[in-house]
């Protein structure tokens, strides 16, 4: 099993690759090759009313990936555990913060690839945090931007 830190992931995972994998996962979903049950949540009132969520899923076909994401919702730590789909062995335990930001933005990148005008060059964005930055990177990957207008409350 490999332990991959945020720094490890930042050094190898690109937005271009993330968009390609997300696009493949959507194609497998359309083919009926995805199993993704609802998130399981556990309320913990004894710990600042925290909530721990677990999401798991399998993407078959060309992707063939089995994973669990465990997160303390509301600013806590996020972990992703990647399994071998054939025997269930753990392949890696990964810091999930960077993966979550990249995957979430890549979904938007895939949408922009197919739904935005081909000559689109301006992006309006609400929020300048982690998700804002990764969304700019994703959209810029599929529709090169000349101008980004950011609206943020801070």
């Amino acid at each position: 099993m490999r332990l991959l830190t945020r720094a490890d992931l930042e050094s190898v995972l690109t937005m271009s690759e993330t968009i390609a994998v997300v696009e493949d996962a959507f194609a497998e979903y359309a083919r009926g090759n995805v199993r993704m049950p609802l998130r399981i949540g556990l309320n913990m009132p004894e710990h600042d009313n925290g909530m721990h969520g677990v999401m798991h899923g399998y993407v078959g076909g060309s992707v063939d990936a089995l994973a669990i994401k465990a997160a303390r919702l509301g600013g806590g730590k996020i972990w992703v555990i990647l399994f071998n789909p054939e025997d269930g062995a753990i392949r890696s335990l990964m810091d999930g913060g960077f993966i979550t930001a990249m995957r979430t933005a890549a979904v938007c990148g895939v949408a922009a690839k197919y739904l935005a005008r081909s000559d689109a060059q301006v992006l309006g964005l609400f929020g300048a945090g982690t998700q804002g930055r990764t969304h700019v990177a994703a959209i810029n990957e599929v529709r090169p931007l000349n101008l980004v207008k950011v609206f943020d409350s801070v």
Side-chain angles (χ1 to χ4, degrees):
M1 177 186 75
R2 287 193 171 155
L3 175 62
L4 298 173
T5 66
R6 182 181 184 104
D8 294 332
L9 295 165
E10 287 175 344
S11 72
V12 296
L13 185 60
T14 67
M15 185 55 74
S16 176
E17 292 170 325
T18 307
I19 289 171
V21 169
V22 166
E23 190 170 0
D24 289 345
F26 278 138
E28 294 303 339
Y29 181 83
R31 292 182 190 108
N33 293 332
V34 172
R35 289 186 280 297
M36 189 173 56
L38 295 175
R39 173 180 16 206
I40 300 167
L42 175 66
N43 290 315
M44 300 183 308
E46 61 271 27
H47 292 283
D48 296 327
N49 288 318
M51 181 173 183
H52 191 269
V54 177
M55 296 156 272
H56 53 291
Y58 171 71
V59 180
S62 64
V63 177
D64 200 31
L66 174 64
I68 292 176
K69 176 178 167 181
R72 170 68 184 258
L73 305 179
K77 193 69 178 163
I78 302 171
W79 293 100
V80 174
I81 306 167
L82 184 65
F83 297 90
N84 180 330
E86 291 185 21
D87 64 9
I90 297 175
R91 288 183 173 168
S92 68
L93 173 62
M94 299 175 271
D95 181 297
F98 182 68
I99 293 172
T100 296
M102 293 289 281
R103 194 266 322 148
T104 302
V107 168
C108 191
V110 172
K113 178 179 177 178
Y114 290 99
L115 301 174
R117 291 182 2 201
S118 61
D119 63 345
Q121 299 177 344
V122 177
L123 173 65
L125 184 69
F126 290 93
T130 300
Q131 285 297 325
R133 290 188 298 275
T134 54
H135 275 72
V136 170
I139 293 172
N140 191 57
E141 188 70 36
V142 298
R143 294 286 183 268
L145 300 168
N146 286 332
L147 178 64
V148 177
K149 296 180 179 186
V150 180
F151 304 90
D152 197 284
S153 61
V154 285

